[in-house]
Amino acid sequence: MTTLSRRALLKAGLAVGGGLLVEVSLPQAQAAAAAAPATFQPNAFLRITSDDVVTFVLLSVEMGQGVSTSNAQLIAEELGIDPAKMVVEFAPADRRYANPIFDLQATGGSTTTAASWEPYRMAGATAREMLLEAAARSWGVAKSECVAQDGAILHKPTNRSGRFGQFVEAAARLRVPDVTLKTRDFSVVGKPVPRLDAAVKVDGSAVFGIDVKVPEARSAVVVRCPVPGGQVKSFDAAAAKAMSGVEDVVRISTGVAVVAKTYWHARQAAARVKVEWDEGPLASFSTAALLETHRKLAREGEGKRVRSKGDVEAALSQAARVLEAEYTAPFLAHAPLEPQNATAHVTSSKCELWVPTQSPGMLHEQVKRLLGCDGEDVIVHQTWIGGGFGRRLTQEYALEAVEVSRAVGKPVKVVWSREDDMRHSPYRPAATHRVQGALDAQGRLVAWKHKVVTQSILAAIGKDWVHATLASAPGFMKRMATSLAVPMLSAEDETAVEGAKELAYGVPHLAVDFVRHETGIPVGFYRSVGHSHSAFATECFVDEAAHAAGQDPVAFRRELLKFEHRLRWVLELAAEKAGWGTPLPAGRFLGVAVHKSFKSYVAAVAEVSVEGTAIRVHRIVMAADCGRVVNPDIVEAQLEGAAVFGLSAALKHRISFENGRVQERNFHDYELLRMHEAPKIEAHIRHNEAAPTGIGEPGVPVIAPAVANAVFAATGKRLRDLPLSLEAAS
Amino acid sequence: MVKLVINGVEREFDVPEDMPLLWVLREVAGMTGTKFGCGAALCGVCTVHVNGIATRSCVMPVGTLAGQRITTIEGLTQGGVRHPCQRAWTELSVPQCGYCQSGQIMSASALLAAQPEPTDEDIDAVMAGNLCRCGTYPRIRAAIHRAAELAKQERVDLKAAIGVAGTKEEH
């Protein structure tokens, strides 16, 4: 049993939710009209009114990963209510909702469940105890004879019951008690509770950022330089301004904004804006040239050693057999289906925003800086999000709306087209990996040297991130911290080497080097971040080593994971469920990959056939261990979704630059997997009682290598470049 | 002035004839259930029914739609009764972010009106036009089969459910 002292609870409360407030707003005494319901708000996450509305505040954002359901379950488990009866509210920008793992209000890194596990259950337990106490006192009975269930307090000996709402006023007057959290016999946690947000997502009523209606709001589109970082030299808006529905054309920091009565009117007019660009330093940037540079650096570049075990250089020079391979991964666009958008209303005294953001905290801080105003004057309204995947951790699309609104003095919604989204977003960095390995005479892997060549994401966004985490610090401190922290963070950027650095295989001589090569291309966090490319290198290379050693790819890995139990167990589960080693239909081949990311363990087996140069993926079997599972159906859905997401990247995705310009523009040249291409996906959970960890991202990294390894099994060809293509290889 | 019949209600809009239906719906009629994703009929999030046929509204100039019967996601629930697709989607927890799901359901409901017990090949062919970045395809497929099952069990007329005249009526 876990007993938390009041002090500990208050401390925890302060860390994540501010002081534990016991707030009551009582209706005006003697009001003749229907009085406002009294509200019991024992902490920042939960509110119960005297008319039984139970509202929970989500410290993360709901972008499809299901936390608006699983977090409700955490509270419901302790409070004693059906989670389907709870109402979700998105948190405002407020330090009380900082993710304790980042110390910043942001959703990412697959951290929500881990970050919410204790605080949300504590919130429910505290409220329950106070309601029980209030009911017991009101009935003159022993609290120990009462239970909370189905939104009511029941006195068991007499069967007397009363809904929570009846005791709200009394509960609000009580001292915050010690609480004990359940450690077993969960009735809501661990259950496949149907998604609470499905209803509003199947009838068109969920309001996404792009749907927000603010009275008097105009629509705006921004004409941006085709080369990242380019600036406006001059522009001619005469023809655009003459078009119907157009109100204004203004210059902002990212280009020229056309403001009109609808998106359509703005978009038509934008085509008539003539801009002369100073294309800037990236005008001749090409991904073909970058790849050449990367390969050169992978072979000759020194880099910073971020991990070292044994003496890898000596081991390689003495090896019975040395293997070497280079793997490449391109820039990738997140391409969420809801294009970037934000609505802002800047007045002389405040700025109100409606944004599908992944970080109200960062947004708040950046708007404050942009406008030079106080925190209380910036209000962020979180909306439903049409796909995040890390894209909406970068706030520049929202700052555009602030700039335009400020320029025209009216509320404005800036909407990006698909082409804008494809060509002007920050990307998953391009990366090249060179792995060298040594096998001994017995075919054991004894050395592994891995060089990662890529740019630093933290260098690109670190400044904004650090500023936001120090939001309440004085300006000079933020500047100091930023100027110290960002270079440090970038030099050994964890997000560049993650997945490579913590190689789990028990290889006695191991080294990982980070060769940092900056391009100036804007980059950001893309679902699974560094793992999205590093696992391709590690899981393809270990597969190549297995083949060189004449061993089965699963058996070879199992041996190397002999001390990594959780990773080995998901590998075994996936292999078993996929029928690894049993006869397959003719023309079908299997490939495997296993990887740990964001503290969770995932393995995938892909079943593939090859017809000519066409790679067909028929089935993907996933096995995952993310500790104690709050909602198994949501975990399965995340694994299914990650498989499709990973498959699109594995087979189709590349953002290419020529003369500084992104070549891809819409879904005809940056294709998403379609229904008829989606394989059967089986998701298996290895349940256990370890502390909950995340699942939003961990399913992604294993997909590309599992497919590449299956293609090798089918053809004998190693595909080492993403996206996978047999046409390029032949 | 363009006259449109949307979800059974005739409305008049003062918009250019070449303005796509999508933007008339979203920004003039204020109906945001139909979404914008690509503007090029590649993603399907803008799918509505025109006379019961699934249509990408982002490339349909309103001038061509005078007098046509337009149904949007908002019109799929009739008299408080949800379409079998909406019920199956909820039962199977299909949506993740949810942004594509209006379009998915409009395509699926039109499929079921034409083919009440679709095969997987039917589903592939019709639903290939609707993208889902979150990867809910396996659940969409299962939900279409479930919707077909619900409709069969409850004797729901899937043509009437999308406001299209059934076999008994004159066309």
Side-chain angles (χ1 to χ4, degrees):
Chain A
M1 299 257 268
T2 316
T3 306
L4 292 149
S5 73
R6 179 167 177 257
R7 256 178 98 86
L9 188 61
L10 280 169
K11 255 172 67 179
L14 281 164
V16 305
L20 275 169
L21 304 166
V22 178
E23 277 176 23
V24 174
S25 55
L26 290 167
Q28 288 304 314
Q30 319 308 321
T39 304
F40 169 46
Q41 185 169 329
N43 51 66
F45 301 129
L46 183 57
R47 226 164 50 231
I48 307 175
T49 64
S50 54
D51 55 3
D52 276 309
V53 178
V54 178
T55 305
F56 76 102
V57 183
L58 195 57
L59 63 74
S60 296
V61 304
E62 171 62 70
M63 47 185 172
Q65 82 283 43
V67 293
S68 59
T69 300
S70 51
N71 275 34
Q73 288 175 253
L74 297 178
I75 292 183
E77 178 71 61
E78 290 289 344
L79 181 59
I81 189 170
D82 177 357
K85 301 267 172 28
M86 296 169 65
V87 174
V88 67
E89 195 172 275
F90 300 142
D94 186 322
R95 289 287 298 159
R96 289 185 296 163
Y97 301 104
N99 181 325
I101 294 170
F102 304 134
D103 199 24
L104 170 65
Q105 190 179 358
T107 304
S110 305
T111 55
T112 298
T113 301
S116 305
W117 175 245
E118 289 242 324
Y120 273 69
R121 290 185 305 140
M122 281 200 282
T126 312
R128 179 198 69 234
E129 288 302 304
M130 292 162 89
L131 289 164
L132 283 170
E133 179 67 39
R137 288 192 194 186
S138 139
W139 292 332
V141 302
K143 179 161 158 255
S144 57
E145 292 173 351
C146 301
V147 291
Q149 61 192 39
D150 296 322
I153 306 294
L154 172 71
H155 179 236
K156 288 177 30 183
T158 62
N159 243 9
R160 186 169 183 184
S161 85
R163 302 212 52 77
F164 286 168
Q166 282 175 232
F167 308 109
V168 147
E169 271 181 64
R173 287 188 250 266
L174 298 174
R175 282 169 58 88
V176 176
D178 292 344
V179 287
T180 301
L181 295 180
K182 281 187 198 174
T183 54
R184 58 194 184 85
D185 299 329
F186 294 103
S187 56
V188 179
V189 164
K191 297 289 184 285
V193 169
R195 285 187 75 114
L196 304 182
D197 55 354
V200 298
K201 291 176 176 177
V202 301
D203 68 1
S205 66
V207 176
F208 292 83
I210 202 174
D211 301 328
V212 163
K213 291 184 199 128
V214 170
E216 304 300 305
R218 277 52 175 174
S219 283
V221 310
V222 179
V223 179
R224 301 175 189 82
C225 184
V227 179
Q231 296 294 314
V232 176
K233 261 197 341 220
S234 67
F235 70 98
D236 175 1
K241 279 191 179 163
M243 289 185 69
S244 123
V246 175
E247 291 191 10
D248 212 341
V249 179
V250 295
R251 181 173 172 170
I252 59 170
S253 60
T254 54
V256 178
V258 177
V259 184
K261 65 180 189 186
T262 74
Y263 172 83
W264 177 250
H265 290 90
R267 180 57 64 198
Q268 300 295 95
R272 304 281 186 91
V273 174
K274 300 193 200 35
V275 187
E276 213 191 321
W277 298 105
D278 171 0
E279 292 189 350
L282 291 169
S284 55
F285 181 77
S286 96
T287 37
L290 178 68
L291 188 56
E292 269 184 48
T293 305
H294 268 205
R295 288 197 191 277
K296 188 158 189 279
L297 287 169
R299 283 160 214 168
E300 302 161 20
E302 275 305 308
K304 192 174 184 11
R305 186 143 289 188
V306 298
R307 179 146 181 227
S308 182
K309 186 172 138 197
D311 185 340
V312 83
E313 274 82 16
L316 283 169
S317 64
Q318 292 152 24
R321 187 156 168 202
V322 170
L323 304 168
E324 185 174 315
E326 243 169 57
Y327 303 93
T328 69
F331 288 107
L332 291 181
H334 304 72
L337 280 189
E338 181 193 12
Q340 306 317 309
N341 65 85
T343 306
H345 188 189
V346 179
T347 65
S348 56
S349 56
K350 71 180 212 282
C351 173
E352 215 173 340
L353 297 118
W354 294 260
V355 186
T357 178
Q358 279 177 244
S359 180
M362 283 188 72
L363 178 57
H364 188 264
E365 179 59 23
Q366 288 178 254
V367 173
K368 249 176 68 183
R369 261 184 24 235
L370 175 65
L371 296 177
C373 64
D374 290 329
E376 317 86 68
D377 299 331
V378 178
I379 300 153
V380 176
H381 300 284
Q382 176 75 47
T383 67
W384 293 103
I385 304 175
F389 314 116
R391 171 63 182 91
R392 316 224 201 222
L393 281 171
T394 319
Q395 312 300 318
E396 88 298 348
Y397 61 92
L399 299 177
E400 284 183 337
V402 174
E403 282 192 63
V404 180
S405 176
R406 177 173 62 173
V408 301
K410 299 188 183 87
V412 175
K413 180 193 287 180
V414 172
V415 176
W416 293 34
S417 65
R418 176 57 47 192
E419 290 79 7
D420 292 340
D421 201 288
M422 199 68 74
R423 295 179 300 171
H424 300 290
S425 290
Y427 301 107
R428 196 280 307 266
T432 298
H433 297 256
R434 180 165 175 253
V435 190
Q436 293 168 282
L439 294 171
D440 67 11
Q442 285 74 46
R444 282 185 302 239
L445 195 54
V446 294
W448 178 293
K449 181 174 170 183
H450 188 159
K451 230 188 247 180
V452 183
V453 184
T454 187
Q455 68 187 86
S456 165
I457 299 172
L458 294 183
I461 70 151
K463 184 152 153 265
D464 292 325
W465 191 274
V466 172
H467 264 260
T469 56
L470 299 174
S472 40
F476 78 91
M477 199 145 131
K478 284 189 227 185
R479 283 188 293 277
M480 219 170 67
T482 315
S483 61
L484 286 173
V486 176
M488 246 170 52
L489 291 169
S490 314
E492 255 197 58
D493 190 339
E494 287 295 324
T495 70
V497 295
E498 60 190 356
K501 181 176 169 184
E502 320 83 9
L503 188 74
Y505 294 121
V507 182
H509 303 281
L510 168 67
V512 181
D513 298 331
F514 173 31
V515 180
R516 182 178 166 194
H517 178 70
E518 293 298 327
T519 64
I521 299 296
V523 293
F525 299 116
Y526 166 102
R527 192 177 187 183
S528 78
V529 197
H531 301 275
S532 68
H533 53 84
S534 65
F536 181 63
T538 57
E539 283 302 292
C540 286
F541 191 76
V542 74
D543 212 71
E544 299 202 40
H547 180 76
Q551 290 189 41
D552 174 270
V554 170
F556 190 75
R557 287 172 172 80
R558 284 190 69 231
E559 178 58 29
L560 289 164
L561 293 174
K562 85 172 153 243
F563 301 114
E564 294 287 338
H565 308 300
R566 291 175 78 178
L567 207 46
R568 196 184 67 252
W569 288 330
V570 294
L571 171 66
E572 289 165 356
L573 179 55
E576 180 210 320
K577 296 293 185 185
W580 188 277
T582 66
L584 284 167
R588 301 286 179 95
F589 299 87
L590 299 183
V592 67
V594 60
H595 193 76
K596 176 184 178 185
S597 65
F598 308 99
K599 304 195 161 94
S600 295
Y601 307 81
V602 180
V605 173
E607 181 180 325
V608 147
S609 68
V610 172
E611 286 129 55
T613 56
I615 300 168
R616 281 189 220 299
V617 183
H618 299 276
R619 184 173 64 129
I620 299 185
V621 175
M622 319 269 296
D625 170 357
C626 53
R628 182 187 292 283
V629 165
V630 177
N631 189 318
D633 193 50
I634 287 179
V635 170
E636 285 176 23
Q638 285 306 290
L639 291 170
E640 291 159 15
V644 175
F645 190 92
L647 213 47
S648 289
L651 297 175
K652 297 170 185 278
H653 287 172
R654 171 197 282 119
I655 288 289
S656 42
F657 283 85
E658 265 171 56
N659 297 316
R661 289 150 168 76
V662 174
Q663 300 300 295
E664 292 72 22
R665 39 198 64 232
N666 207 311
F667 293 125
H668 62 288
D669 52 14
Y670 194 84
E671 295 177 35
L672 303 188
L673 216 70
R674 292 179 181 275
M675 171 69 85
H676 63 289
E677 300 165 307
K680 282 197 170 43
I681 303 164
E682 293 167 27
H684 302 279
I685 301 172
R686 205 200 134 252
H687 288 280
N688 60 82
E689 295 177 10
T693 52
I695 201 62
E697 294 166 286
V700 175
V702 288
I703 303 301
V707 174
N709 294 336
V711 170
F712 173 75
T715 64
K717 294 194 176 112
R718 283 285 175 196
L719 300 182
R720 301 193 180 104
D721 305 306
L722 288 168
L724 302 173
S725 167
L726 282 168
E727 286 165 46
S730 54
Chain B
M1 294 299 280
V2 179
K3 268 196 203 154
L4 298 173
V5 180
I6 304 175
N7 299 332
V9 177
E10 187 176 88
R11 301 178 61 163
E12 241 185 346
F13 299 101
D14 184 12
V15 294
E17 297 230 329
D18 65 345
M19 187 166 177
L21 173 63
L22 175 65
W23 298 109
V24 176
L25 287 171
R26 288 184 57 82
E27 292 192 284
V28 186
M31 297 168 70
T32 56
T34 308
K35 306 301 186 193
F36 169 59
C38 72
L42 293 165
C43 76
V45 304
C46 68
T47 307
V48 298
H49 298 158
V50 176
N51 300 328
I53 311 285
T55 308
R56 313 299 182 210
S57 63
C58 72
V59 293
M60 286 294 288
V62 284
T64 64
L65 296 169
Q68 308 299 308
R69 240 193 342 252
I70 297 162
T71 311
T72 69
I73 186 71
E74 289 91 345
L76 212 55
T77 298
Q78 294 169 23
V81 177
R82 297 198 143 194
H83 188 279
C85 283
Q86 292 173 309
R87 292 165 50 205
W89 251 244
T90 306
E91 198 185 295
L92 300 181
S93 289
V94 174
Q96 289 189 23
C97 86
Y99 193 73
C100 76
Q101 302 296 345
S102 295
Q104 301 281 0
I105 289 170
M106 294 310 281
S107 290
S109 56
L111 163 61
L112 286 169
Q115 181 49 268
E117 287 181 89
T119 61
D120 280 336
E121 286 72 34
D122 293 330
I123 291 172
D124 279 350
V126 169
M127 302 304 293
N130 287 83
L131 295 178
C132 174
R133 189 61 168 131
C134 298
T136 67
Y137 300 126
R139 291 193 182 217
I140 291 173
R141 185 188 300 281
I144 292 172
H145 288 304
R146 177 65 182 144
E149 190 181 19
L150 282 172
K152 192 170 174 185
Q153 280 168 9
E154 298 168 16
R155 299 178 199 273
V156 173
D157 179 342
L158 288 164
K159 281 183 161 61
I162 64 165
V164 168
T167 49
K168 289 185 186 163
E169 288 182 44
E170 295 289 327
H171 288 282

